[in-house]
Each structure stands twice: as C-alpha cells, then as structure tokens.
Amino acid sequence: MSAIRALIAVLLGTLAACSSTEQSRTGATTRPPSFIVIFCDDLGYGDLGAFGHPTIRTPHLDRMATEGQRWTQFYVAASVCTPSRAGLLTGRLPIRSGLCSSRRRVLFPDSAGGIPDEETTLAEVLRDSGYATAAVGKWHLGHRDSFLPTRHGFDQYFGVPYSNDMDRTSESPRGRIGIVEPKSEYFNVPLIRDLTIVERPAQQETLTRRYTDEAIAFIEREADRPFFLYLAHSMPHVPLFRSDEFVGRSARGYYGDVIEEIDANVGRVLESVRRLGLEKDTIVVFTSDNGPWLSYGDHGGSAGLLRQGKGSTWEGGMRVPTVVWGPGRVAPGVVTELGSTLDLLPTFASLSGAALPAETKLDGHDLTPVLRGTGPSPRTGMFFYRGAEIWAVREGPFKAHFKTRSGYGGEKVQEHDPPLLYHLEHDPGESRNVAKDHPDVIARLQQVVEDHRATVEQVPSQLEIR
Ligand code: MG
C-alpha cells in the first residue's frame, strides 16, 4: 500500500513539475522568474559593507552584491514611507495616486485614506499572470480593511500596517527617551495576519526574524510555481529593535546590530532559495524606502557621501543602496546606470510576460536590458517630489533644485531662482553649484518639469482624509 502511495506521489510530483517548469534541452529552466523584493525602512546609502560602511558587517548582502548587481544610482519615488511604497507597488509617482501630501507626509493611525482601488499594484499584475503573492512586513498604504494587502493583489499578509513608532502608549516616556531606549509596550502597533490583528502591541524585538520565517514558509509552500514576495522590514526605522542574539554584536552599536540582523535574515532567505533549487528561477531585489533618519543621531543611519537624508530631496533622501541578485538571469557587476523602485513593476511585467495595466500612465521603465547586461537603462532622469510639489529634477548627470530644506528640523524652505545645479557624476555629494556655467541645462530641466506637469491629473490626497 505504501509503495502505491509513493508511486502516486512521484507521479503527482512529476506532473506538478511539468506544469510549472519547462526544461529546455540545455537543462536551463524557462519558467517565468519568481521575484523577491526585500525593502528596508530608512536604511541609508552608506549603511552596508558593500556600499562602503567601515564597521557594519553585512556578509550576506556583500555576497549578494558580488554575485549580482550593485546599483549605485538607484532612486525611490519619495523620501518618506507612504509615498515611496506607493511608487514601488504602482510604478507611478505618488502624485498620480494621491498617496502624497504637502500637509501630512505619511499615513497615521488616525488616517482614513489608503491606496485607491483604481490603482493596479505589482501584486495584481503578477497574480493575474498566475503568480502566488505574499506581503510580509510594513505596509503603510492604509490600515483600514479595504486598503490592506489582501485587498490589493496579495494572497496573504503578515505584518505591521504602519510605522513602528506610531500610536505611543501612556507607558511610553515622552520625547526621545521612549524612542532611543524603546520597549514594544511603548507603541500600540498591531501585527496583522491577512485582515485580523493577531498581536498588539507587536513584539518588535522579534519582527525581523518572524517576518523572515513567514517569508521562508511562503517560498517553501510556493516553490513549484512562480511567486512574488514583498518582504518589507520594519527596521531600521526608529525605534530600533533587534533580537537578543544580536544585542551588542556590531562595532557600530545599536544601529549596527539591527542592520547585521537584517543581513543575517537576508542570508536565510537566499539560503532557502538555494536549498529549494530555485536560484536560477528567482530574482531578488534588496533596497530601502528612503534615506536615513538623521535627526535620531546614532539611532539613524548614514547616507555615506550623499547629502542629507530621509524627508529631503537631496540625494541622501532618495538615493538608496540597491542590490539585484539572480544567478543565470542577472549579469553580475556594478551598475552606474539610473534605476528606480518605480521601474520594478514594468521590469517584472516584462520578465514574466505579464500584461501592464491598461490605460495607466506609468512612471517606471523596463530595466531588463540592464539586468541582462545587454543594454543601457531607459531611465535617464528622476523627479524629486516633496509632498505634492516637485522640488528638484535630474536629467542625465545634472540635477536642479528649485527648493531645498533638510528632511527634518527647523530649517526654513529655501527657494532658488535660478535653481541650484549639481553635476551628480562629478559631485554626488551636491557641494558645488554649477548653475552659472550651464544656463542651457537649467532651461532644459525647467522644460522637463513643465512637460511632466502637463501629464499629472489632479486627484484627492489620500493622506489628508481622516
Ligand atoms: Mg521609511
């Protein structure tokens, strides 16, 4: 009897393998790739070994960068959480979906808005093409039921719906002390499975590990078919938390412990991909939602040689450390071409054969030629929105700033006419204004902004609804 059962299991396994994975004559698989996006919160450009940090040890990410691509000019759609995430998941600048505002920069626990049903998410694009989909970790695109991931293309969700510093409890010491000496009990943050709160307050010391456990369980369960996993860590957004195993591990202190725990858990994800034999069928993107939160001193990260951080339209706010890994599908190397999280939706659609959302103005480009090492990036520039306004624009090596302000703190808005102009390839730290030498470039960049504005339709801000 057991022999018959074993035979049936083998036959079923073979059928499943045939339906999901076609083997070419060379033995290379031709099935559409699975995608894993590991998205950190407030990780700075200079916070990884592979991006030059001298004391934070990130061996798994460094190996991933050596085996894959290290992108040095990769941007997010905005310098704070909610609009940045909206940009990644829709392939559209958040001004188009209403997931930005100049009055309230992100969604808060008292917000009643979220991602509109009219938006087509990356998860919907891939699920309609037969992918299994999962969101794990921080969401921040609306915490009411109709906005949660399972209503926007994800088969399953496990995570925290907004930032881990929100909804302070009465036990929390006021001011910074509750943030720099944090306890989970200080933040009434819910942990949600699909649509149900399963823990409150979320035990934050365990989040990096538990998110990864959930991610690995999903990969194991869906190994036989293409999948899309969006793993959005709550860390290293302050208040910082790490598990006991990582306390005191890093020479960089508390913040370094947190990054080293993330790195170890990236290693666990890649190990599971390898163990299941999926490394030739999986593309993993590791990046961050915005720059480091500099106003928290030691508890914030570093933008390395870039200027400023989270919340600002300087490079440190929106250029993020990005690694793309996919042995056999991604040509290894250092990529100095331009890319953006806005590009993931069209790129993944292209690689999977999925249809792009119809009649939708996308701001992303298909980066497939760069991933394969066959051609240049179709992305030649970037818009830098602060809230609902364009404060800066990049085209080629030049970036013009029309307004500037640090991400946080009391600095006043400075308006620039003529705009400040930096040559980012010569001067990535934005320290030498070359506006006087290039009036023609400034005129061209101003025209780029005008042309872009003409494509933007006014929609209500979701961040202002309470
Ligand atoms: Mg963030």
Side-chain angles (χ1 to χ4, degrees):
M1 205 55 193
S2 62
I4 292 171
R5 256 196 237 119
L7 182 62
I8 290 170
V10 167
L11 286 172
L12 285 175
T14 307
L15 277 173
C18 289
S19 63
S20 62
T21 310
E22 295 169 35
Q23 298 285 328
S24 74
R25 269 176 299 179
T26 59
T29 174
T30 56
R31 87 176 197 180
S34 293
F35 302 106
I36 301 174
V37 174
I38 305 177
F39 203 38
C40 287
D41 195 352
D42 299 0
L43 177 75
Y45 187 80
D47 285 329
L48 304 179
F51 280 79
H53 198 283
T55 53
I56 299 176
R57 294 167 302 182
T58 53
H60 298 96
L61 284 158
D62 299 351
R63 177 180 170 189
M64 189 179 159
T66 304
E67 294 176 353
Q69 295 182 340
R70 180 162 63 86
W71 286 66
T72 61
Q73 303 202 72
F74 196 91
Y75 291 102
V76 282
S79 64
V80 289
C81 296
T82 298
S84 172
R85 285 150 206 271
L88 187 155
L89 285 173
T90 64
R92 283 150 59 79
L93 286 163
I95 191 71
R96 301 191 197 277
S97 58
L99 284 159
C100 64
S101 161
S102 297
R103 294 196 188 93
R104 298 193 102 195
R105 302 191 72 185
V106 296
L107 291 163
F108 289 90
D110 68 350
S111 297
I115 185 166
D117 284 339
E118 300 79 56
E119 293 299 317
T120 304
T121 68
L122 176 51
E124 286 168 326
V125 167
L126 293 171
R127 191 176 65 179
D128 289 351
S129 189
Y131 279 62
T133 57
V136 180
K138 178 172 171 177
W139 179 240
H140 219 176
L141 293 174
H143 53 275
R144 298 200 171 186
D145 278 8
S146 62
F147 302 123
L148 286 171
T150 51
R151 297 280 163 80
H152 291 273
F154 290 100
D155 301 332
Q156 59 180 82
Y157 174 56
F158 177 73
V160 165
Y162 39 70
S163 295
N164 67 326
D165 63 333
M166 290 182 172
D167 209 359
R168 298 271 283 265
T169 65
S170 55
E171 291 166 52
S172 171
R174 295 296 102 187
R176 287 174 72 92
I177 192 79
I179 293 281
V180 298
E181 294 178 22
K183 293 182 179 168
S184 292
E185 294 68 39
Y186 295 170
F187 308 91
N188 190 33
V189 173
L191 183 66
I192 292 177
R193 182 171 292 285
D194 298 334
L195 300 174
T196 306
I197 295 175
V198 293
E199 185 176 297
R200 189 168 199 168
Q203 293 305 296
Q204 298 203 38
E205 294 83 356
T206 62
L207 284 182
T208 299
R209 179 176 52 75
R210 280 197 288 170
Y211 287 168
T212 305
D213 292 345
E214 183 79 9
I216 291 171
F218 170 76
I219 295 167
E220 288 173 345
R221 198 167 57 247
E222 304 297 344
D224 287 339
R225 63 166 169 153
F227 59 81
F228 169 49
L229 167 64
Y230 174 62
L231 170 53
H233 280 295
S234 289
M235 294 293 111
H237 189 288
V238 300
L240 299 175
F241 288 94
R242 73 288 202 224
S243 58
D244 289 346
E245 192 190 335
F246 286 86
V247 171
R249 280 256 290 243
S250 175
R252 167 63 175 82
Y254 199 145
Y255 184 86
D257 292 349
V258 171
I259 306 305
E260 293 188 15
E261 182 165 22
I262 290 172
D263 178 75
N265 281 280
V266 169
R268 292 179 61 213
V269 170
L270 295 186
E271 190 278 326
S272 73
V273 168
R274 289 192 183 96
R275 173 167 45 82
L276 294 163
L278 298 176
E279 67 269 33
K280 296 246 164 67
D281 287 324
T282 308
I283 292 174
V284 184
V285 176
F286 176 93
T287 188
S288 176
D289 71 331
N290 51 249
W293 207 348
L294 300 176
S295 45
Y296 282 100
D298 250 14
H299 279 240
S302 163
L305 81 174
L306 305 180
R307 185 162 172 177
Q308 255 288 314
K310 172 177 177 172
S312 85
T313 45
W314 296 104
E315 289 291 294
M318 289 176 59
R319 194 193 295 200
V320 286
T322 302
V323 178
V324 183
W325 180 89
R329 295 195 191 237
V330 174
V334 176
V335 175
T336 59
E337 302 275 322
L338 302 194
S340 168
T341 48
L342 292 164
D343 303 329
L344 297 183
L345 186 150
T347 303
F348 291 0
S350 168
L351 290 166
S352 64
L356 287 174
E359 293 171 35
T360 301
K361 172 69 186 159
L362 290 176
D363 295 294
H365 299 276
D366 178 5
L367 301 177
T368 300
V370 193
L371 298 189
R372 292 191 173 144
T374 56
S377 175
R379 174 170 291 283
T380 59
M382 189 69 203
F383 295 104
F384 298 77
Y385 274 85
R386 179 157 172 148
E389 278 184 45
I390 297 175
W391 280 31
V393 60
R394 175 174 184 173
E395 190 58 40
F398 287 104
K399 178 176 174 186
H401 290 265
F402 309 104
K403 292 185 180 182
T404 54
R405 187 184 185 185
S406 57
Y408 292 84
E411 187 194 334
K412 293 243 179 349
V413 179
Q414 294 184 44
E415 301 201 24
H416 305 285
D417 186 17
L420 306 175
L421 188 74
Y422 298 99
H423 188 297
L424 292 176
E425 291 179 354
H426 296 174
D427 178 25
E430 298 174 287
S431 63
R432 294 185 296 280
N433 179 14
V434 294
K436 273 209 303 296
D437 305 332
H438 299 284
D440 53 324
V441 171
I442 289 174
R444 195 173 74 227
L445 288 173
Q446 282 168 325
Q447 190 59 48
V448 166
V449 170
E450 287 313 308
D451 293 348
H452 166 72
R453 282 208 182 101
T455 73
V456 175
E457 288 174 31
Q458 287 291 323
V459 295
S461 169
Q462 295 292 324
L463 278 50
E464 293 168 20
I465 306 172
R466 290 199 225 191

